[in-house]
Structure formats: C-alpha cells, structure tokens
C-alpha cells in the first residue's frame, strides 16, 4: 500500500497543466449546443414555435401535431451537429441524473435504415422504474414508469447525445423524481404571488422564482484520490491526521488560482457556455484545493437543471485534467466544508424584482410585503427548511466552524430590523393622515437608502437577506437544488395565499383602505416572526440556548430532522398547495431515511476495512522493526539496553494500545451494525446507525490518526492530508 501512495505522489508531481485554447468569445459560444429560443426560431414553423412558447410561458399543453414538428426539427438540428442518440434526461430520487440512450437509427426493411425521431419519442418514454428509489410507491417487480418532456427546460447536446429534460412519474401517476414537485411549487408561488402583485400593479400576469446557486468543490489529483479507498467509495476521508499547515493563514481564499486548477476551470466554463449554463464567477475558497463557481441567476427550474448537469460535467472535465472533483460537504476533517448557497428571489413579467425596493413608496410597500411574508413563511416552517437540507454528508458541515448551524434563523441586518420595528408600531385599524404620510416618507420611502448601505453579511446565518434576494446558505454542496427550492417556494406560496385572505378580509369587513389593510397584516406578521430573526454569531452554546428559549428547533442529525417531513402539518401543506400528495411525501421521506442508513453503513464497512486491513498491518510491521531494534540494542548493551531503548519500548507500548483500541472499537462497531441491520422499522434502523454505529467512527479514527504520527512515513499506506491538500 505504501508503494501505491508513493507511486501516486510521483505521478501527481509530474502533472502539467493541460493546454486550453480559448479563441472564441464566451458570448459566441453561449448556448451553441442548446435547442434554445433562437434555435427554435430557425428550425420550427411559426405555429410550432408559438405552441412551444405558450407551453413555456403559460403552461399550455402541446398537441401531437406540434410535438411531431418539434421532434423533427430537434432531430435535424442534432444531426447537423453529429449527434447519433437521444435520451430523456431526468432526476430520480437518487439525487443524481439519469439517462437511457436510444439511437435515431431505425430499420425499414430491405436492408435499409433511416434516422427517426417522432413526436411520441420526444414527449414520452418508458424507462424501467423498478430499480430507482420509490419509497414504497411501487412494487419492485413492477417496472413501468414514464418520462415526459418538460418544454420549459430546453433540450441540449452533450457529446453525441441529444438530452431532453423530462419529469419521471410512476404508472399510477405519482412523481418519482425531484423535478415534478418543483414545477408544481413554482406554479403555486406564481399563482399566489401574482394575486398579491395585483394590489400594486394590475399589469402583472406572471411571477417567476429565480435561483442563483454557488457551487463549492475540492480538486484532488486523480492518482492521489485513487490511492484512498475512502475517497473513492464514500467521497470523503474517514481517516487522516490534520497537516501542520491547513487554512489557518487564510492564504488560499481568493488567492491566485493554481495553474492546473485554472485550466480545469477554463475547460469547464467552455463546456458550460456550450450547454447554456451562464457561469460567471470562479475563485479559490477557504480550504486548500477548494474552489467555487457561480452563475448568473436564472429561472429556478432551469437553474436546478443546470446545476444538476454541471455536477455531472465537472466529473467528466475533471477526469480530462487528472482531477477527482469532490462535492462532499466535508471531505476533510478540521478544514472548511463545501456548501451550495441558494440565492432566491421573485420577479414579475413586467421586470420587477419583488425583493428589491423601487423608486416610489408604493413599490417599496410591495417590496416590504414580499420581504415580510418570506420571513413569516420561514418562521412558521423552520423545521421543514432544516429537514430539506438534511443528509448524512451535510450533517458533518452544519454547525461546524465555517457553516451555518442546524438552527434555522433569518438575518436581515440592523437597518432593516429598525424598519420592521417601526412598522410594528403601526396603529391597529385605520391610519391617520399624518401616520400615512410619515410611513410613506420616513419608513417605506427611505428603504432604498437603507439597502444601499445594508448591514454587513452574517456568514453564520442559514437564511440571510442580501440586498435584493434571500440566500439559503445551509444547502449542502451535493444537494439537488430542487429540494430546497420546492420547499421554499411552497411555504412562500402558502404564506402569500394566507396574506391575501387576511388583507381582503380587512378591506371587506373593516372598511380599511388597501394600504391600511396591508400595513395592519404586516404589523402582526412582524410581531409573530420575531423569534426567527437573529443578527448574532450562530456558533456555540450561547445561540443554542437562546434559540431554545425562542422555541426554535435544533435537529442536529438527519434522522431527527427528517421526521418533520411526514408531520401532519407538512403533509397538509403540500397537499393544499398541490405540490405533493401524501403518498409522494411519505415516499420521499422513506427514500431519504433509507439513503441515510445506507451511507452510514457503507462508511462503517469502509472504515473497518481500512483500519483493520491497512492501518493495523502497517502498525504491526513498524512495531516489528522496533522490536528488532530493541533486540539488537539488548545484544549490544546487555542489561543496560533499556536506557538506550527507552523511547522505542515506549513507542512499542503505545502502538500496541492503539492497535488494541482499533480492534476493540471495530468489533463493537460491527456488533452495533449487526444489531441495527436486524431492525425492521426504517426510522429505528436509521437512528441506530446514527446514535449507535456512527459514534465509533471518531473513536476508530482517533487511534488510526495517532498511529499515523508514530509510524515511519515511508511505511504509511494512506496518502496524507498534506499531500491531498497541497499537491497542486
């Protein structure tokens, strides 16, 4: 094994940056491999183009004749670019993407063949659904599932395959993917938000949720990564002593990008341009060999598709540059983990960002309406927001020194806090002319000035307002953005729906003017949401104690957090907003609980293998060398040998203690795992793995990491942290 490590180091040390040619402007490359609106104008008839655009803008159904025209145009466009196959590209409950490639090739008899791709093949396919997670929606022997074209996300070419974004549903109609509930949630927030916008502008006909994600990741040399079984099998290091130098000097963050990494980024960005992914920002992150890229904001469904596609493309481009891309939230202990901040806002078809103030008191009142309602939605559903970011990998990150805690709170800054405090004192009922004037001139009217110098960002806040959007910072780097976006848009849609009911009631029954009714309802929402607002440091016991006083949840582990997904409140929420049925909600809960269990189970097996079959034999080998040395000293010095061999003898004893500790803890972990495996209830099994099996990880690691410091470097089999993190 040590030979493997040193061979990997030798191979990594010889790497040179792969030459990248960038001789075409980004704007010229952008969307070249996308069946975009511009491409459709060139290839579709006027009626077909109108049919697709109506489906995108208004959700109207595309009839079969139009589908045939679109499929024919897609085929001709794809063939002109050397494409040979097509696939329905979907997002099953695995969290990854899925695809089954079919050739355009079709035989027609007489030894002849044609390229064929019809409307029925575009609109619907029937992949085998039996092997995908379904949470009990289907029997495993029932294979039928359907993928159906999502025209709101354009088809694209990657390699020689035409990929068509689709939803994935069971034979019985339930959603088996992440996209379908997201589309429903986006429709719900559109409906609720548009109704509120009409208080302020009758011309608003549609509200679109936008998303800007920030993808953090590590780049590790491929050879070094392959020398670590834990990285290959779990995506993170289960063992490894911290290097003498980590991130403490802050010399990597925003520093000069290493040449190999920069060329990887340039290559990746070119691929992104061709695929229409509008990546704009790249930089070093806090930890050594950690980086980030971020795009321009897009419509939420398209942004989710682009992030899912990006994570796949990153791995393929990384391989070209001899890199292993690590997306795990915490691949290395003791240094910065990786997140995927989800920047969210709402915009109207008239071009107004509803979370950005305007030039008039009326537009600022509209901003306040959506701002306060979002805070109220988070306040009332903080446990559900925590649940939607829960995973075995994100548990390592939440609450660590660089990340938000598992307690959901909202940061808005001192200036906006002052604005809400003033609104809290609005008169109950009708407002005097003087109060109306004061509110419009001195409170609402001055909001643009407030936001020009908004309070410094709070990087420990899980959910922060950052000027013209809310940033959901607690989302993990491996996450499919559809999950947090589904929940966030659903709870805001529900909240806006309730807001309209309350405002209309005050107008109808209390004879209040529209502005008075809005101020009255917002006042009560501000009072009701105070517990969720927090401006301080999210780390440590002080905030945990304060959060407990406020009645906020603190579900630190995934099994604890996920339970709220199947609460009566959550099920009722998704059913009322027509985002998911009870069956679909429960199915997702079961899939995620089972996935958590399996991930901890895999890590336990890998850890037991590495510690028992790699670390311990190495320790014994080194111990034998020490024993041989001590024996030799005894032969030379006779009875006085102990004073010459004291350190070696002490080291032999310490190694024995750590070997015994490893064997003892592995045996106990295996027994705990066997007991957990016999549990039939999936919740109880997940809890057993969380609280009975997982605690052994750190105990086993402790002994292994101590041995790493004791054993001759030339014998140590596992590539060390300093080599993984500082090989550029």
């Amino acid at each position: 094994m040590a030979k493997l490590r040193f061979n990997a180091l030798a191979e990594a040390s010889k790497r040179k940056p792969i030459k990248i040619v960038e001789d075409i402007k980004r704007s010229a490359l952008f969307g070249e491999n996308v069946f975009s609106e511009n491409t459709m104008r060139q290839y579709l008839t006027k009626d077909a183009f109108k049919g697709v655009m109506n489906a995108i803008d208004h959700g109207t159904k595309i009839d079969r004749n139009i589908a045939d025209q679109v499929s024919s145009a897609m085929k001709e466009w794809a063939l002109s670019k050397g494409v040979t196959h097509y696939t329905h590209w979907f997002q099953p409950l695995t969290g990854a993407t899925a695809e089954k490639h079919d050739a355009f090739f079709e035989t027609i008899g007489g030894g002849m063949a044609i390229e064929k791709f019809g409307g029925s093949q575009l609109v619907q396919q029937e992949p085998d659904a039996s092997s995908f997670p379904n949470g009990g929606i289907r029997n495993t022997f029932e294979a039928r599932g359907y993928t159906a074209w999502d025209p709101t996300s354009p088809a694209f070419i990657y390699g020689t395959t035409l990929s068509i974004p689709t939803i994935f549903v069971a034979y019985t109609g339930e959603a088996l993917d992440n996209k379908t509930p997201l589309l429903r949630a986006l429709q719900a927030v559109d409906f609720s938000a548009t109704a509120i916008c009409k208080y302020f502008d009758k011309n608003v006909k549609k509200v679109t949720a936008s998303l800007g994600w920030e993808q953090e990741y590590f780049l590790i040399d491929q050879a070094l990564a392959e020398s670590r079984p834990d990285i290959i099998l779990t995506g993170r290091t289960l063992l490894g002593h911290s290097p003498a130098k980590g991130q403490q000097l802050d010399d990597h963050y925003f520093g000069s990008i290493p040449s190999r990494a920069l060329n990887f980024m340039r290559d990746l960005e070119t691929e992104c341009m061709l695929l229409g992914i509008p990546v704009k920002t790249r930089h070093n992150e806090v930890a050594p060999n950690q980086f980030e890229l971020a795009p321009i904001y897009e419509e939420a469904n398209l942004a989710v598709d682009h992030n899912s596609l990006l994570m796949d493309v990153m791995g393929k481009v990384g391989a070209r540059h001899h890199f292993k891309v690590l997306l795990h939230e915490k691949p290395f202990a003791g240094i910065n983990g990786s997140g995927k901040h989800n920047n969210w806002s709402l915009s109207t078809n008239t071009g107004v960002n509803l979370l950005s103030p305007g030039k008039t008191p009326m537009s600022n009142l509209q901003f306040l309406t959506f701002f306060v309602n979002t805070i109220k939605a988070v306040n009332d559903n903080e446990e559900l927001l925590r649940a939607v970011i829960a995973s075995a990998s994100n548990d390592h990150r939440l609450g660590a020194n660089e990340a938000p805690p598992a307690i959901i709170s909202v940061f808005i800054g001192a200036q906006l806090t002052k604005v809400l405090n003033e609104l809290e004192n609005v008169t109950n009922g009708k407002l005097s002319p003087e109060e109306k004037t004061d509110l419009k001139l001195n409170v609402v009217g001055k909001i643009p000035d407030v936001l020009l110098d908004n309070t410094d960002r709070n990087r420990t806040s899980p959910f922060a307002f950052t000027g013209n959007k809310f940033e959901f910072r607690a989302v993990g780097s491996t996450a499919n953005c559809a999950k947090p976006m589904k929940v966030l848009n659903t709870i805001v849609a529900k909240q806006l729906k309730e807001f309209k009911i309350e405002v209309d009631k005050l107008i109808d029954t209390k004879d209040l003017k529209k502005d008075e009714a809005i101020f009255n309802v917002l006042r009560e929402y501000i009072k009701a949401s105070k517990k969720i607002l927090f401006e301080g440091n999210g780390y440590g016991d002080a905030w945990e104690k304060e959060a407990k006083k406020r009645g906020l949840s603190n579900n630190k582990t995934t099994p604890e957090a996920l339970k709220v997904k199947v609460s009566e409140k959550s099920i009722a929420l998704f059913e009322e907003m027509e985002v998911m049925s009870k069956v679909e909600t429960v199915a997702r809960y079961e899939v995620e609980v089972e996935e958590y269990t399996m991930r901890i189970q895999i890590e336990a097996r890998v850890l037991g293998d590495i510690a028992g079959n790699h670390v311990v034999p190495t320790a014994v080998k080194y111990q034998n060398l020490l024993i041989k040395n001590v024996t030799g000293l005894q032969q030379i010095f006779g009875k006085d040998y102990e004073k010459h061999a004291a350190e070696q003898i002490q080291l032999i004893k310490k190694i024995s203690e750590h070997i015994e500790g490893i064997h003892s803890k592995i045996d106990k972990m295996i027994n705990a795992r066997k007991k957990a495996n016999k549990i039939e209830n999936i919740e109880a099994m997940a809890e057993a793995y969380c609280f009975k099996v997982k605690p052994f990880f750190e105990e086993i690691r402790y002994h292994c990491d101590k041995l790493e410091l004791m054993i001759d470097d030339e014998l140590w089999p596992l590539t060390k942290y300093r080599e993984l993190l500082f090989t550029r």
Side-chain angles (χ1 to χ4, degrees):
M1 274 298 293
K3 185 177 180 181
L4 176 61
R5 172 189 162 208
F6 287 111
N7 286 343
L9 285 168
E11 189 175 342
S13 68
K14 296 175 184 176
R15 306 279 196 214
K16 302 294 182 184
I18 291 178
K19 187 177 180 181
I20 300 298
V21 178
E22 293 178 299
D23 54 359
I24 303 175
K25 291 191 297 185
R26 293 290 174 87
S27 57
L29 283 177
F30 186 70
E32 187 176 307
N33 288 345
V34 179
F35 197 65
S36 60
E37 182 176 335
N38 185 49
T39 305
M40 286 192 289
R41 287 183 186 276
Q42 298 175 46
Y43 280 85
L44 294 180
T45 65
K46 184 179 290 186
D47 286 344
F49 177 77
K50 184 178 179 181
V52 175
M53 294 310 296
N54 281 337
I56 294 171
D57 295 334
H58 309 296
T60 56
K61 190 173 181 180
I62 296 176
D63 65 36
R64 178 57 184 269
N65 181 50
I66 295 295
D68 285 335
Q69 293 182 51
V70 173
S71 63
S72 177
M74 270 191 193
K75 181 189 70 176
E76 294 307 313
W77 170 72
L79 290 174
S80 73
K81 289 181 168 290
V83 169
T84 59
H85 289 68
Y86 67 92
T87 182
H88 276 201
W89 182 81
F90 57 103
Q91 300 169 41
L93 299 179
T94 58
T97 58
E99 51 196 68
K100 180 188 75 169
H101 296 196
D102 285 305
F104 288 131
F105 172 84
E106 195 81 39
T107 58
I108 56 174
M112 296 183 291
I114 59 171
E115 270 72 32
K116 183 179 180 182
F117 181 58
S120 60
Q121 293 160 308
L122 166 66
V123 172
Q124 182 176 298
Q125 274 195 323
E126 188 182 323
D128 184 346
S130 62
S131 296
F132 289 110
N134 63 71
I137 288 178
R138 326 190 26 74
N139 293 313
T140 54
F141 59 83
E142 293 175 326
R144 183 171 288 183
Y146 294 109
T147 50
W149 177 34
D150 170 20
T152 64
S153 186
F156 58 89
I157 294 169
Y158 192 65
T160 58
T161 303
L162 172 67
S163 299
I164 302 155
T166 61
I167 63 170
F168 181 42
V169 297
Y171 176 70
T172 46
E174 291 90 0
L176 293 173
D177 65 344
N178 289 305
K179 179 187 273 279
T180 304
L182 172 65
L183 291 173
R184 295 169 184 165
L186 294 174
Q187 187 176 38
V189 81
D190 171 23
F191 182 83
S192 294
T194 299
I196 301 300
C197 285
K198 291 190 180 297
Y199 285 143
F200 307 96
D201 182 358
K202 299 292 185 184
N203 294 316
V204 174
K205 296 180 180 178
K206 183 176 179 62
V207 171
T208 301
S210 63
L211 167 64
W213 38 262
E214 303 168 29
Q215 182 70 59
E216 294 178 339
Y217 61 97
F218 282 82
L219 286 179
I220 305 300
D221 186 88
Q222 184 73 43
L224 300 185
E226 288 176 355
S227 73
R228 293 282 309 223
D230 47 359
I231 290 179
I232 297 302
L233 295 174
T234 72
R236 74 179 184 105
T237 56
L238 300 173
L239 304 173
H241 199 281
S242 298
K245 180 181 182 293
Q247 64 189 50
Q248 61 267 52
L249 295 179
D250 297 323
D251 54 347
H252 187 66
Y253 190 52
F254 275 31
S256 176
I257 301 173
S259 297
R260 281 185 65 199
L262 181 59
N263 281 15
F264 159 79
M265 293 175 179
R266 293 167 63 198
D267 197 2
L268 175 64
E269 288 169 3
T270 297
E271 294 283 2
C272 287
M273 289 299 107
L274 292 170
L275 292 167
I277 306 173
V279 294
K280 186 175 178 67
T281 302
R282 66 190 184 201
H283 63 82
N284 291 358
E285 254 300 332
V286 174
N289 277 349
Q290 186 187 33
F291 307 94
E292 179 182 300
L293 82 159
I296 297 170
Y297 290 26
E298 299 180 281
E299 183 274 326
N301 177 47
L302 182 58
V304 167
D305 280 1
H306 277 164
N307 182 250
S308 297
L309 176 59
L310 172 93
M311 290 191 287
D312 184 37
V313 173
M314 286 176 80
K316 294 174 181 176
V317 175
R320 289 206 292 259
H321 292 257
H322 307 292
F323 279 128
K324 175 72 173 176
V325 179
L326 301 185
L327 295 175
H328 193 286
E329 282 79 358
K330 199 75 170 177
F332 302 98
I335 65 170
N336 203 56
S338 297
K340 178 151 52 193
H341 301 172
N342 277 211
N343 295 277
W344 170 88
S345 189
L346 296 170
S347 300
T348 68
N349 64 295
T350 57
V352 175
N353 179 351
L354 296 171
L355 288 173
S356 182
K359 297 179 180 179
T360 66
M362 181 60 75
S363 62
N364 292 332
L365 181 55
Q366 179 174 260
F367 156 74
L368 273 175
T369 296
F370 283 91
F371 178 69
V372 173
N373 270 281
T374 301
I375 294 171
K376 178 68 161 50
V378 174
N379 179 81
D380 293 353
N381 298 278
E382 47 93 7
E383 269 198 289
L384 185 55
L385 278 178
R386 165 63 183 101
V388 81
I389 56 169
S391 69
S393 52
N394 208 23
D395 278 359
H396 294 286
R397 170 177 168 263
L398 294 179
N401 287 337
E402 84 289 344
I407 304 165
I408 300 296
S409 64
V410 179
F411 172 84
I412 62 172
Q415 296 297 330
L416 282 170
T417 298
K418 184 178 178 182
V419 170
L420 296 194
N421 288 340
E422 292 182 16
L423 289 174
E424 190 181 344
N425 296 316
V426 168
T427 298
N428 189 5
K430 291 189 176 183
L431 310 182
S432 67
E434 293 79 14
E435 187 174 13
K436 280 185 180 180
T437 301
D438 182 61
L439 281 171
K440 289 181 178 179
L441 293 179
N442 297 320
V443 180
V444 178
K446 291 186 176 180
I447 287 175
D449 298 328
V450 168
L451 293 186
L452 285 175
D453 188 26
N454 195 25
T455 303
D456 193 17
R457 295 186 183 185
N458 185 337
R459 63 190 300 272
T460 70
S461 175
F463 198 89
F465 184 71
T466 55
N468 59 359
K469 62 189 182 300
F470 279 99
E471 183 178 22
F472 194 5
R473 297 176 52 86
V475 180
S477 50
T478 58
N480 184 314
C481 294
K483 292 182 179 180
M485 285 297 101
K486 171 190 69 182
V487 170
L488 181 55
N489 285 287
T490 300
I491 64 176
V492 171
K494 164 73 169 171
Q495 181 55 51
L496 292 172
K497 178 182 176 183
E498 292 179 352
F499 176 77
K500 187 173 190 308
I501 292 171
E502 292 187 51
V503 169
D504 288 349
K505 184 177 180 181
L506 289 179
I507 294 172
D508 295 339
T509 63
K510 300 293 185 180
D511 195 30
L512 297 185
K513 299 290 187 183
K514 178 184 64 181
D515 291 1
E516 291 174 324
I518 290 172
F519 276 123
N520 269 257
V521 177
L522 291 181
R523 178 194 63 234
E524 298 307 310
Y525 284 180
I526 293 167
K527 290 179 181 179
S529 303
K530 279 196 161 187
K531 72 176 184 181
I532 203 69
L533 298 176
F534 179 61
E535 307 295 307
N537 187 347
Y539 302 148
D541 295 336
W543 170 228
E544 288 198 16
K545 291 177 182 177
E546 172 64 21
K548 188 174 181 180
K549 286 181 184 178
R550 296 186 184 197
L552 297 175
S553 65
N554 185 12
N555 297 321
K556 293 185 177 182
T557 69
T558 292
E560 293 172 290
L562 288 179
K563 289 179 182 179
V564 73
K565 285 194 169 187
V566 286
S567 67
E568 290 184 11
K569 178 182 175 183
S570 296
I571 290 171
L573 166 71
F574 290 124
E575 285 189 323
E576 179 185 346
M577 303 313 296
E578 298 182 349
V579 171
M580 291 190 294
S581 66
K582 181 177 180 178
V583 169
E584 290 170 324
T585 301
V586 172
R588 278 154 181 76
Y589 169 73
E590 293 189 1
V591 166
E592 290 176 33
V593 170
E594 186 176 14
E595 181 188 358
Y596 174 86
T597 302
M598 288 189 292
R599 290 197 180 277
I600 303 300
Q601 184 184 79
I602 290 168
E603 289 192 351
R605 288 173 172 168
V606 173
L607 178 58
D609 172 51
I610 296 175
N613 296 324
H614 297 260
V615 174
V616 168
T618 303
V620 171
K621 182 184 292 186
Y622 184 58
Q623 193 178 47
N624 287 337
L625 289 175
L626 291 172
I627 292 170
K628 186 176 181 180
N629 177 258
V630 170
T631 302
L633 290 173
Q634 186 179 23
Q635 291 173 351
I636 295 171
F637 296 105
K639 294 180 180 179
D640 292 335
Y641 86 95
E642 286 192 12
K643 68 179 181 181
H644 299 288
E647 290 186 12
Q648 293 94 316
I649 293 171
Q650 187 62 28
L651 195 51
I652 290 169
K653 289 179 180 178
K654 287 182 178 179
I655 290 173
S656 291
E657 290 171 2
H658 289 302
I659 290 174
E660 192 282 327
I662 291 171
H663 279 304
S664 172
K665 298 303 180 183
I666 288 177
D667 287 344
K668 290 179 180 178
M669 181 180 71
I670 291 173
N671 287 332
R673 200 170 72 223
K674 287 179 178 178
K675 289 180 181 178
N677 291 340
K678 293 177 181 178
I679 300 172
E680 294 185 2
N681 179 277
I682 61 167
E683 287 183 356
M685 182 185 286
E687 289 172 358
Y689 266 95
C690 181
F691 299 113
K692 301 295 185 182
V693 176
K694 189 179 173 185
F696 287 110
F697 289 11
E698 285 304 310
E699 296 179 9
I700 294 169
R701 179 177 193 145
Y702 168 80
H703 292 293
C704 293
D705 289 356
K706 286 296 182 183
L707 286 172
E708 181 183 329
L709 294 178
M710 296 176 186
I711 292 172
D712 184 348
D713 183 64
E714 291 190 9
L715 293 178
W716 191 252
L718 301 172
T719 304
K720 296 187 176 184
Y721 266 33
R722 68 169 186 266
E723 297 155 350
L724 292 166
L725 293 169
F726 291 97
T727 300
R728 305 289 167 83

